[in-house]
Amino acid sequence: MIGQLHSVVIDAPDAHALAGFYAELLGMEVKGAPGDDWVVVTGAGYRIAFQQAPELVPPDWPDPRRPQQFHLDIRVADIDEAEPKVLALGARRLPGGGGDFRVYADPVGHPFCLVWDA
């Protein structure tokens, strides 16, 4: 092993707002203030960082001209319970999915999946 993963870093036009979305979705804590160029969410041994990128051109999944750049798979116990909650946070459903996952976009447009044991 050469190193260990420290952070997943996601660009956003408003780093604090997107950090708040993921903190609420994952039950994590936001470390940073509105207007900060770098905000971190932590919890359960995980860390996701968000950096200010005011000129961000969001992905338009599944359009290959504006690819997804990254995505997170988030395990849920009950998709029928989880989906309305994630939509209420500001996510939107995207095309695609299968027997054990559904695809969404966060408020900035980054794709992520809710996955469960089907």
Side-chain angles (χ1 to χ4, degrees):
M1 174 177 65
I2 294 173
Q4 294 179 321
L5 179 65
H6 178 63
S7 295
V8 173
V9 182
I10 302 171
D11 289 352
D14 182 337
H16 190 267
L18 193 58
F21 169 84
Y22 279 103
E24 186 72 24
L25 175 63
L26 300 170
M28 298 170 80
E29 178 183 348
V30 176
K31 296 186 178 185
D36 287 354
D37 287 341
W38 183 266
V39 181
V40 175
V41 297
T42 60
Y46 300 102
R47 169 188 161 109
I48 305 172
F50 300 85
Q51 66 183 0
Q52 199 70 18
E55 303 300 321
L56 176 74
V57 176
D60 189 17
W61 188 86
D63 184 346
R65 292 171 292 164
R66 289 180 41 202
Q68 65 179 329
Q69 303 163 5
F70 84 97
H71 82 268
L72 300 175
D73 286 342
I74 299 166
R75 181 170 300 283
V76 298
D78 182 339
I79 187 62
D80 294 324
E81 182 180 317
E83 183 173 75
K85 292 178 181 177
V86 76
L87 296 174
L89 287 175
R92 61 185 163 84
R93 182 92 185 262
L94 294 176
D100 62 352
F101 73 98
R102 291 184 190 162
V103 184
Y104 302 84
D106 68 24
V108 174
H110 301 294
F112 67 94
C113 294
L114 296 182
V115 300
W116 64 93
D117 294 328

